[in-house]
């Protein structure tokens, strides 16, 4: 267990990257959303109109801004810390477990930040400017528990996907992530083509608990893939 904790601490040895960068991204999304909201209001949109709130809740800035960094962070976290961790005597199994624990802590941190910001947004009447950043459809339209579940699972998934790509890069070199990306892209394209006639039924089925379990299943597969690569990777 001490080795697992050591690996987890190793992933947070640069808090400026691990913790401050997501906060910076959230602040940028807030500022950009504020500028857009004020511009739309000056253009004539009436915040008191019920349709204004419905449209404003379509703001998906948070969903589009954080995953890119989180996946990148998952990649570089594995690629840069794995050789050092093994040099310190950590086992490969402890490394994967410690990396997963670090991802859980990271997900909990970002989720807590988003939850607090949602509460502030609701208490202040959407930041006094009818600004919708966290009370949005992709995060549950103001439902705190939906936001917590969505953000926690989503952040953890992004980090684990990044971890498996980082592990494949360490194991197979630069061509590994490229081959995996092409394979996943091809698989996704085939899946979409097959699912098109049943799209409405699939969307109706993938809600709530089922969607959460499916997402956690993908994260579990990513962790298994990380372990499969790490167990035979030579330290370079």
């Amino acid at each position: 267990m001490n080795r697992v904790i050591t690996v987890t601490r190793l992933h947070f040895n640069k808090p400026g990257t691990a913790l401050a960068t997501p906060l910076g991204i959230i602040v940028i999304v807030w500022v950009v959303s504020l500028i857009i909201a004020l511009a739309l209001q000056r253009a004539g949109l009436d915040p008191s109109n019920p349709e204004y709130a419905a449209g404003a809740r379509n703001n998906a800035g948070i969903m589009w801004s954080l995953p890119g960094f989180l996946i990148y962070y998952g990649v570089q976290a594995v690629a840069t810390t794995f050789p050092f961790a093994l040099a310190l005597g950590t086992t490969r199994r402890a490394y994967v477990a410690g990396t997963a624990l670090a991802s859980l802590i990271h997900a909990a941190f970002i989720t807590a930040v988003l939850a607090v910001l949602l509460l502030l947004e609701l208490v202040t009447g959407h930041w006094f400017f009818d600004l919708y950043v966290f009370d949005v459809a992709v995060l549950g339209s103001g439902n705190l528990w939906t936001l917590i579940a969505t953000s926690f699972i989503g952040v953890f998934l992004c980090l684990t996907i990044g971890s498996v790509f980082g592990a494949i890069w360490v194991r197979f070199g630069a061509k590994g992530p490229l081959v995996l990306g092409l394979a996943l892209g091809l698989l996704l394209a085939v899946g979409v083509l097959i699912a098109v006639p049943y799209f409405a039924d699939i969307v109706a089925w993938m809600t709530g608990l089922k969607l959460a379990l499916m997402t956690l299943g993908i994260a579990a597969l990513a962790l298994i893939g990380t372990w499969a690569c790490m167990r035979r990777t030579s330290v370079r």
Side-chain angles (χ1 to χ4, degrees):
M1 189 62 188
N2 288 336
R3 291 177 176 177
V4 173
I5 299 300
T6 299
V7 172
T8 300
R9 292 176 61 186
L10 184 61
H11 284 297
F12 290 100
N13 68 334
K14 292 183 178 180
T17 301
L19 304 178
T21 301
L23 296 180
I25 293 173
I26 292 172
V27 170
I28 291 172
V29 171
W30 189 93
V31 171
V32 172
S33 298
L34 175 62
I35 294 172
I36 294 174
L38 292 177
L40 291 176
Q41 292 173 28
R42 288 179 60 84
L45 288 183
D46 183 8
S48 63
N49 189 327
E51 294 183 359
Y52 176 88
R57 284 194 171 97
N58 290 324
N59 178 11
I62 288 293
M63 186 187 73
W64 294 116
S65 60
L66 282 175
F69 164 75
L70 294 172
I71 293 174
Y72 153 79
Y73 182 79
V75 172
Q76 70 89 28
V78 170
T80 59
T81 61
F82 175 70
F84 185 61
L86 261 65
L88 295 177
T90 300
T91 66
R92 297 165 192 268
R93 181 177 301 176
Y95 179 81
V96 175
T99 300
L101 179 58
S103 297
L104 289 172
I105 294 173
H106 208 152
F109 169 75
I110 294 177
T111 298
V113 170
L114 294 178
V116 170
L117 291 174
L118 171 63
L119 293 176
L120 287 174
E121 184 168 303
L122 297 176
V123 168
T124 59
H126 298 91
W127 307 106
F128 308 107
F129 294 103
D130 295 292
L131 173 62
Y132 291 74
V133 183
F134 310 101
D135 177 12
V136 291
V138 294
L139 295 178
S141 298
N143 187 303
L144 178 62
W145 299 112
T146 301
L147 177 141
I148 290 173
T150 301
S151 58
F152 183 84
I153 295 173
V155 171
F156 183 66
L157 175 64
C158 290
L159 290 171
T160 53
I161 289 175
S163 294
V164 73
F165 272 91
I168 288 176
W169 183 85
V170 173
R171 175 71 175 84
F172 298 103
K175 293 183 179 179
L178 176 62
V179 172
L180 178 61
L182 291 174
L184 290 177
L186 178 61
L187 181 63
L188 180 61
V190 173
V192 169
L193 291 175
I194 295 174
V196 165
Y198 316 100
F199 185 74
D201 294 333
I202 293 174
V203 171
W205 180 82
M206 287 195 310
T207 56
L209 181 60
K210 294 176 182 178
L211 180 60
L213 292 175
M214 184 182 70
T215 305
L216 289 175
I218 296 174
L221 288 175
L223 288 175
I224 293 172
T226 301
W227 160 241
C229 291
M230 291 289 94
R231 63 181 302 190
R232 295 184 179 277
T233 299
S234 59
V235 180
R236 290 177 289 174

